[in-house]
Amino acid sequence: MDATRAQAPAVLPARADVPPAPPVARTTAGYVKGERTGGVIAFRGIPYAAAPVGPLRFASPRPPAAWSGVRDAGQAAGTFLQPDGTGSEDALYVNVWTPSTHQTTARPVLVHVHGGSWSSGGAAGVDGARLAERGDVVVVTFGHRLGVFGFGLHEELADPETGSYANWGLQDQVAALRWTHENAAAFGGDPGNITLVGAEAGGASVHQLALLPVTRPLIRRIVPVRPAHVRAPGLCLTAEDARTVYDTLAARFGTTVPGLRAVPAAELNAAWHRLFSVRPEERPVRSGRHYRGPVLDGVWLRAYDHEQPPPELPVLSVYAAPGLPPAGPGPADEAELRTWITELLRQADPAADRTAADEVLRAYRAAALAEGRTAGLPSLWAAIREDAHFRHPVLRMADRHARAGRWPQYVLELALPAAAHPADPAHPAGPAGPAHPAAAHEAAVALLFGTRGPAGHLAGAADTDGQPSREPTEAGEVLADLVVSFARTGVPRAPRVPDWPALSPGRPRALVLGGAAVARTGALPQQGQLRFWDDTGRVPGRA
């Protein structure tokens, strides 16, 4: 008898009553143990950076401490501090969903950057299991610093190691992307095929990450959904205003700007939000702005979005169709509508007045009547706000990308009305202006991931008995297939979707998702409204 064979141990058959061993993956900091859920393996709560607390508050992200043994990754971490005081500073973690950790075929990696006006939200609102299983892809979500802790600027907060003194939340995003590139293979993903997906503030973030020299080589494609493109003073603090805010906070707490690192996080968070909860003219910043986005610092944000060249990679841009029923209450009367329009215009031009608001209202009312559309106050307000904040910048950026001609740009119009949404907690109603309802960006995220968003709804139409119709499910399946196809091949294709050409100069066509046909191609609607913003220059979109 062969001695080698004689000494070989017997292979015992697997016992049906013994569960399989928990899946384990090896990251750069140590081993992690996930859990099988349906057809995927979920790894939750993996640190991608050290907790930004104590001396690391307002510091560039540091690598997480390595661990020995196997770390349990069965529970997601909490969100970063929210406007209502929930959450904590210790929130720099990633969640990963993968069909398998084996690398028989490396899978595309989809990294989701959450929205929330740079001051709310988190990874907890998105579950990547369905998309990972349906598309055979690896899905990554993560949390990052928000509000006063994440998006500001002050030279007295310079990091002694990196010299950076601004945009800590954007630096966290860079760190999470680097972590994904370094660890994708451990979860069966292809580190050379990473696609970024983000909505609203997250959509602006994926655009910025695609332009940064340190991260551009790590990204293959991007899918910005209704991005809130950064511009001052409407969608970011100016550097001067940021310094004023931190000086004001330091004075109120009786400390220096570096001393803000020792202020209890909940108190500092509450004080920051109180500064922006009063009427614009009562705020300490000259612009009177509403939002809290990246600040122009020359390093992490080198220029405003409309001033930078288009990303040198394929882009799939998603925006909300004009003319959708408004989400949330509309203005009570025409006087209130003019007030709301004035406040909206002041986010781009602090000198805007009622005369400018009248000009906008006349143009939109005339366009609606000329095209046979409703000219009711709620519809006019919804169209004006959507175009000024989102549709005009998105489509003008897409035009510019198409004119450059080096990389394909696909444009998708989401034509599903959002179900009733509560007001966005980051933008409360009251003396600061009208509530900003959470709408199309949450609808797109809920559709793509097939899960209920942070507001507890599944966006989409409803049938006559008030129950959700099949249309959102069908549209969500198509959207998921398109995004996965784009991530895998660079070309968005899906069953039930007609041939969809990339955007080209002089041919403004989009894929319209929603309605009886589920998906169809068509010319971009209501171009006259967009030309109004071009002609007045009140909303930057061209460069």
Side-chain angles (χ1 to χ4, degrees), residues 328-365:
D333 51 38
E334 193 143 324
E336 185 172 53
L337 175 58
R338 285 187 166 88
T339 299
W340 288 11
I341 295 172
T342 302
E343 293 295 337
L344 175 72
L345 294 176
R346 285 177 177 168
Q347 294 178 30
D349 177 10
D353 56 16
R354 290 296 182 94
T355 301
D358 288 340
E359 181 184 7
V360 175
L361 185 54
R362 281 196 302 270
Y364 270 73
R365 179 169 280 144

Side-chain angles (χ1 to χ4, degrees), residues 327-329 420-429 434-438 442 455:
H421 298 281
D424 184 343
H427 308 290
H436 297 269
E442 283 192 6

Side-chain angles (χ1 to χ4, degrees), residues 139-396:
V139 176
V140 179
T141 66
F142 65 93
H144 58 79
R145 282 173 280 186
L146 301 169
V148 64
F149 307 93
F151 296 96
L153 174 151
H154 203 292
E155 288 77 1
E156 292 182 29
L157 296 174
D159 188 301
E161 293 188 15
T162 66
S164 294
Y165 51 82
N167 297 322
W168 307 281
L170 189 55
Q171 293 185 58
D172 292 344
Q173 294 173 11
V174 171
L177 180 57
R178 284 173 169 162
W179 184 94
T180 300
H181 183 263
E182 293 170 357
N183 292 279
F187 299 94
D190 181 358
N193 189 8
I194 295 176
T195 296
L196 299 186
V197 181
E200 202 245 13
S205 293
V206 304
H207 182 93
Q208 292 149 18
L209 291 169
L211 293 173
L212 281 175
V214 296
T215 50
R216 170 61 190 88
L218 309 181
I219 305 167
R220 181 73 65 86
R221 304 171 186 93
I222 61 172
V223 184
V225 178
R226 198 169 171 258
H229 283 296
V230 172
R231 63 180 187 268
L235 291 169
C236 74
L237 286 171
T238 64
E240 177 186 0
D241 282 347
R243 295 185 191 99
T244 298
V245 167
Y246 289 97
D247 288 338
T248 301
L249 289 171
R252 292 189 180 183
F253 284 105
T255 186
T256 62
V257 171
L260 291 172
R261 292 189 173 97
V263 174
E267 295 180 23
L268 183 57
N269 182 56
W272 166 267
H273 287 288
R274 280 196 298 269
L275 291 180
F276 296 95
S277 65
V278 297
R279 294 192 60 83
E281 59 269 21
E282 299 172 356
R283 297 169 189 166
V285 295
R286 291 179 59 190
S287 68
R289 59 177 297 288
H290 289 265
Y291 300 97
R292 302 152 181 78
V295 183
L296 194 66
D297 67 341
V299 178
W300 302 106
L301 185 66
R302 297 179 297 167
Y304 298 124
D305 287 1
H306 66 282
E307 298 172 340
Q308 299 196 64
E312 294 185 348
L313 40 62
V315 180
L316 169 55
S317 294
V318 182
Y319 72 95
L324 291 178
D333 51 38
E334 193 143 324
E336 185 172 53
L337 175 58
R338 285 187 166 88
T339 299
W340 288 11
I341 295 172
T342 302
E343 293 295 337
L344 175 72
L345 294 176
R346 285 177 177 168
Q347 294 178 30
D349 177 10
D353 56 16
R354 290 296 182 94
T355 301
D358 288 340
E359 181 184 7
V360 175
L361 185 54
R362 281 196 302 270
Y364 270 73
R365 179 169 280 144
L369 294 174
E371 297 174 12
R373 294 183 283 105
T374 177
L377 300 186
S379 295
L380 288 173
W381 167 244
I384 291 167
R385 181 180 183 274
E386 184 67 28
D387 281 356
H389 268 321
F390 301 104
R391 195 169 75 104
H392 178 267
V394 166
L395 292 180
R396 289 302 177 251

Side-chain angles (χ1 to χ4, degrees), residues 33-79:
K33 178 181 64 177
E35 65 177 2
R36 301 180 189 277
T37 170
V40 299
I41 304 169
F43 296 85
R44 300 180 177 91
I46 307 172
Y48 70 85
V53 298
L56 293 185
R57 182 186 290 175
F58 306 124
S60 298
R62 302 292 196 268
W67 58 85
S68 59
V70 179
R71 180 187 179 103
D72 184 13
Q75 184 174 356
T79 59

Side-chain angles (χ1 to χ4, degrees), residues 40-116:
V40 299
I41 304 169
F43 296 85
R44 300 180 177 91
I46 307 172
Y48 70 85
V53 298
L56 293 185
R57 182 186 290 175
F58 306 124
S60 298
R62 302 292 196 268
W67 58 85
S68 59
V70 179
R71 180 187 179 103
D72 184 13
Q75 184 174 356
T79 59
F80 197 83
L81 276 166
Q82 302 290 297
D84 63 3
T86 59
S88 72
E89 284 186 276
D90 185 8
L92 304 190
Y93 298 87
V94 300
N95 307 308
V96 182
W97 291 264
T98 179
S100 172
T101 56
H102 298 302
Q103 298 179 8
T104 51
T105 56
R107 298 171 177 83
V109 180
L110 289 172
V111 179
H112 177 257
V113 185
H114 76 78

Side-chain angles (χ1 to χ4, degrees), residues 114-142:
H114 76 78
S117 298
W118 298 280
S119 63
S120 64
V126 171
D127 188 315
R130 174 185 173 274
L131 186 60
E133 183 174 8
R134 181 178 181 86
D136 191 30
V137 296
V138 177
V139 176
V140 179
T141 66
F142 65 93

